Amino acid sequence: MRTYFHVDMDAFFVSVEELYDPSLKGKPVIVGGRPDERGVVSAASYAARKFGVHSAMPLRTAYKMCPQAIFVDGHPERYREYSEKVYETLRGFSPLVEMASIDEAYLDMTGTERLHGPPLRAAHQLHQRMKEATNLNCSVGIATSRLVAKISSDQAKPNGVLWVIPGSEVAYLAPLDVRKVPGVGKVTEKNLHAVGIRKVGDLARLDERFLEERFGKWGLALAGKSRGLDAGGWFDTEIGAEEGPKSISHEHTFNEDTADVPQIESTLSHLCEMVGRRLREHGLHARTIQLKLRYSDFSTITRAHSVARGTQIDTELFEEIRQLFRANWRAGWPVRLLGVHASGWAQGEEQMDLLGEDRHEKWKQTLAAADRLRDRFGEKAVSLAASLRGNFRERTHENPASLPGKRPKK
DNA sequence: TCTGGGGTCCTAGGACCC
DNA sequence: TCTGGGGTCCTAGGACCC
């Protein structure tokens, strides 16, 4: 039998912002951007949640519900920095730590009793050390499976511990709404309600074959989850089995929809530079390049193209993306969002690109230099999109406010 | 309500091959 | 002539998570 901890930081983004600006403490704070911008709430303080504000809610809606809230921009670098500290702290409790996202982790605590004592004692220590090391609160769920640990950490919030004693998993889960099961979202919830399933207990009582017939492979996984088992899906992998990314993407939503080709293509170029840079950081060469287009009415298409040899070079990515865009954009239709997605990593000789060796070397050096400049001066310091500079300058000249990223903050 | 951005996993159909 | 079956790759879309 194993013992898992699920550690979830409380209101992580908001709490980190409070460390940088203590005057925010106790106030309704909303992280995600300005209330008049297109976007959603990334995180809301407990004071803001009292007004009904929650993450994923449009900023404009949040403003209507809580106009006195303090709206702040997110700071990904700060969150990454604190996420590192969280990881280091957790490593003091178990060598088997897996960050499941920027603000939550699984610990395999099996066999650590001699070192840390029984689970509740270890959790108490963990709270204390986390506070000392990061000044942040967290909640801890403890169980024999990762799934149940995750569900119980949610119920332990804020700043608490919940231990589901071995053997009591099914009884613990039974009265909970099916929505509490990770992986059950709006759609699955509705489908389950349609057949009279509302609680996890309803799910556990059903015949597995019925669930499989009705919901396929997912139905079978649900049957296991309702009994607290990790079997199937993401919970099934070993903790600490570090794997690289499977895809790398960047996207951008315009504050105002646009059908202006130079603006669209310079944005795509910029997104390709961001993707290319991350590919190089990870030493990856992508074989599949995907464009994402969202129109004013929110209808969205994706169009992909795979190449025999992978690339990590901005201009090559951009060539593919531009072709995809030109072949698939319904000309004149205002665009709301653009995205560039890279996946399908090339192995071995697939990574050799078709540029001659010296040209290739030269490019690599140029890009490495650009990456260093960006490290020092920020993402917008360098633009390699030579093919677009004319357009860029032209736009800048006639209408600086329409450039992405150059919108004046008022 | 007027809907971000970065991911993962799954399904389903068609092409293609044996 | 009226039609197999399995495997793999590619593409498009969608649910879900934080």
Side-chain angles (χ1 to χ4, degrees):
Chain A
M1 198 191 53
R2 309 202 71 82
T3 304
Y4 293 103
F5 280 22
H6 181 255
V7 179
D8 205 315
M9 307 306 293
D10 296 339
F12 183 60
F13 293 177
V14 171
S15 304
V16 172
E17 295 302 332
E18 285 174 358
L19 295 178
Y20 281 83
D21 180 0
S23 77
L24 296 174
K25 274 209 165 131
K27 294 183 185 155
V29 176
I30 291 170
V31 180
R34 302 166 39 83
D36 57 340
E37 279 175 340
R38 272 184 173 170
V40 298
V41 176
S42 291
S45 68
Y46 287 97
R49 291 182 205 183
K50 288 210 179 107
F51 293 86
V53 175
H54 57 81
S55 49
M57 172 182 280
L59 291 168
R60 294 179 217 255
T61 310
Y63 180 72
K64 281 177 200 151
M65 297 182 89
C66 187
Q68 70 271 43
I70 302 166
F71 288 80
V72 300
D73 283 331
H75 296 93
E77 343 74 55
R78 296 179 182 177
Y79 312 144
R80 271 194 292 273
E81 181 196 333
Y82 273 87
S83 187
E84 278 291 315
K85 290 186 190 178
V86 167
Y87 176 74
E88 293 306 328
T89 306
L90 297 178
R91 278 300 300 263
F93 286 84
S94 169
L96 297 178
V97 176
E98 183 171 313
M99 294 301 293
S101 71
I102 198 155
D103 70 340
E104 60 174 319
Y106 292 96
L107 277 68
D108 189 339
M109 293 290 283
T110 312
T112 64
E113 290 232 348
R114 277 238 301 266
L115 201 60
H116 299 296
L120 286 180
R121 217 174 102 84
H124 180 64
Q125 268 189 26
L126 195 155
H127 266 112
Q128 283 189 327
R129 267 200 240 162
M130 188 63 78
K131 193 75 187 177
E132 287 162 18
T134 67
N135 239 314
L136 296 170
N137 290 334
C138 61
S139 295
V140 184
I142 306 170
T144 57
S145 70
R146 301 167 71 183
L147 175 79
V148 176
K150 163 118 175 135
I151 293 172
S152 61
S153 74
D154 183 50
Q155 308 240 282
K157 284 188 168 300
N159 201 23
V161 186
L162 183 55
W163 181 25
V164 178
I165 292 170
S168 67
E169 294 85 359
V170 172
Y172 165 71
L173 294 173
L176 302 180
D177 283 336
V178 285
R179 190 61 198 268
K180 292 284 178 190
V181 176
V184 176
K186 240 189 198 159
V187 174
T188 307
E189 182 186 37
K190 197 170 144 257
N191 291 336
L192 289 173
H193 282 181
V195 289
I197 304 169
R198 308 192 80 85
K199 304 293 180 186
V200 182
D202 302 335
L203 208 46
R205 271 191 294 278
L206 279 178
D207 187 14
E208 279 193 6
R209 281 169 302 184
F210 168 79
L211 285 169
E212 189 178 14
E213 216 169 277
R214 181 109 195 172
F215 300 107
K217 206 172 155 184
W218 174 227
L220 217 49
L222 275 177
K225 288 173 194 291
S226 71
R227 295 167 177 82
L229 304 174
D230 283 340
W234 356 258
F235 286 107
D236 226 354
T237 51
E238 279 299 304
I239 280 188
E242 187 93 2
E243 280 170 42
K246 299 199 163 86
S247 66
I248 288 175
S249 66
H250 280 275
E251 53 186 64
H252 177 72
T253 296
F254 294 107
N255 246 337
E256 279 165 53
D257 301 345
T258 178
D260 180 78
V261 174
Q263 189 187 5
I264 289 172
E265 294 199 347
S266 71
T267 302
L268 287 173
S269 164
H270 182 240
L271 292 169
C272 288
E273 288 171 3
M274 310 268 281
V275 169
R277 172 159 197 224
R278 305 238 341 263
L279 287 170
R280 294 190 291 281
E281 272 170 16
H282 289 276
L284 294 168
H285 298 250
R287 288 195 47 240
T288 304
I289 318 297
Q290 185 186 263
L291 167 76
K292 180 162 158 185
L293 264 183
R294 175 170 290 154
Y295 294 106
S296 299
D297 65 357
F298 222 71
S299 62
T300 308
I301 62 161
T302 59
R303 291 294 178 268
H305 184 229
S306 292
V307 293
R309 293 164 186 277
T311 182
Q312 52 174 195
I313 292 177
D314 305 350
T315 50
E316 292 182 358
L317 293 168
F318 181 60
E319 269 320 300
E320 294 293 337
I321 284 292
R322 185 159 60 175
Q323 273 189 39
L324 286 167
F325 173 72
R326 291 185 174 178
N328 292 286
W329 180 47
R330 304 181 64 158
W333 278 39
V335 173
R336 178 190 177 93
L337 169 147
L338 294 169
V340 172
H341 184 103
S343 60
W345 312 140
Q347 331 263 346
E349 59 186 29
E350 291 174 343
Q351 297 181 3
M352 299 288 297
D353 51 62
L354 293 173
L355 296 175
E357 248 337 282
D358 4 311
R359 252 190 92 194
H360 183 213
E361 248 332 289
K362 203 180 129 214
W363 257 115
K364 277 191 120 162
Q365 285 169 18
T366 310
L367 291 169
D371 289 347
R372 284 195 297 276
L373 280 173
R374 291 200 186 98
D375 281 338
R376 288 178 59 193
F377 302 115
E379 208 50 64
K380 299 202 173 72
V382 188
S383 178
L384 291 164
S387 58
L388 282 180
R389 282 217 188 108
N391 290 332
F392 230 96
R393 221 179 273 132
E394 194 183 306
R395 292 293 308 175
T396 309
H397 195 69
E398 78 196 21
N399 182 7
S402 71
L403 270 175
K406 302 251 164 143
R407 210 171 292 278
K409 300 252 176 199
K410 50 168 190 179

